[in-house]
Amino acid sequence: MRGKRVKEICEYAERVIDDMNEGMVVVQGGGNGLLENGREAMVNAILKVVERARKTNLRVAVTSLLRRPACNEEYEQLHKEVNRDLHEKILVMKAESIWKREVCFSFLDMDDLIQAGCFLRDGVYLSQEGETKLSQRFICRIRATNFLMEGRMD
């Protein structure tokens, strides 16, 4: 959903979640509107989707906001703060879910994986290499989560 704002993406995600009865939801918030809406609005919008998935008993993986080499230092700082907040909140949810033997939560930090060379010339969108790296990380996480969940079912 390139070019969409987080509000539009979250509304779409909630509709998709409502139609699901099993599986995993991967929530990848983008950076569109981050500077305009701010850190708290971005975190809250993403967590709203996570809560919706939690209520439907879906596994959830939240990815970090991706850096944008073309953006200014203010964006870079905000993206790091949003990622830190999301990571902390998802860790709390994960601990609670393990304790209650409920759904599984994960936070995937992509900053170390997706470097400047993984973007198109515009410095915003991922190149084929970036998309491949991102997809491979998703696949690894989904397989690991499925393996863990199968063990919980016994």
Side-chain angles (χ1 to χ4, degrees):
M1 296 182 68
R2 287 183 171 187
K4 300 292 184 192
R5 301 272 187 220
V6 72
K7 181 180 179 207
E8 297 164 310
I9 292 170
C10 290
E11 288 170 355
Y12 173 78
E14 288 176 9
R15 289 193 304 273
V16 170
I17 289 167
D18 288 343
D19 292 337
M20 294 177 70
N21 55 15
E22 65 178 346
M24 174 184 269
V25 175
V26 177
V27 181
Q28 180 187 2
N32 292 343
L34 177 58
L35 293 174
E36 296 85 12
N37 298 320
R39 169 178 155 190
E40 188 174 338
M42 182 70 75
V43 170
N44 289 340
I46 292 170
L47 289 177
K48 183 179 174 190
V49 173
V50 171
E51 282 298 326
R52 183 68 145 275
R54 182 183 207 174
K55 289 178 183 173
T56 56
N57 213 27
L58 297 171
R59 289 168 286 188
V60 181
V62 177
T63 70
S64 59
L65 295 185
L66 297 178
R67 63 172 41 109
R68 288 186 172 179
C71 290
N72 61 25
E73 186 58 37
E74 182 184 8
Y75 174 88
E76 286 302 305
Q77 185 61 36
L78 266 177
H79 119 269
K80 288 176 184 176
E81 291 171 4
V82 167
N83 288 342
R84 185 189 64 236
D85 290 353
L86 285 172
H87 194 185
E88 288 173 1
K89 291 179 186 312
I90 295 300
L91 279 175
V92 169
M93 295 172 93
K94 184 174 189 163
E96 291 171 355
S97 72
I98 290 170
W99 180 256
K100 296 176 183 177
R101 297 182 62 81
E102 294 178 338
V103 295
C104 187
F105 295 92
S106 299
F107 180 80
L108 305 174
D109 189 348
M110 300 295 183
D111 273 351
D112 291 340
L113 179 71
I114 306 296
Q115 299 298 320
C118 294
F119 289 86
L120 296 174
R121 287 190 187 128
D122 65 5
V124 175
Y125 295 112
L126 292 176
S127 65
Q128 183 65 43
E129 177 187 358
E131 292 283 354
T132 299
K133 285 184 175 187
L134 192 70
S135 299
Q136 288 171 341
R137 177 72 57 94
F138 287 156
I139 290 168
C140 287
R141 177 58 68 171
I142 290 167
R143 285 182 179 155
T145 301
N146 285 339
F147 177 77
L148 289 173
M149 292 306 291
E150 287 172 9
R152 281 190 184 183
M153 301 299 178
D154 295 338

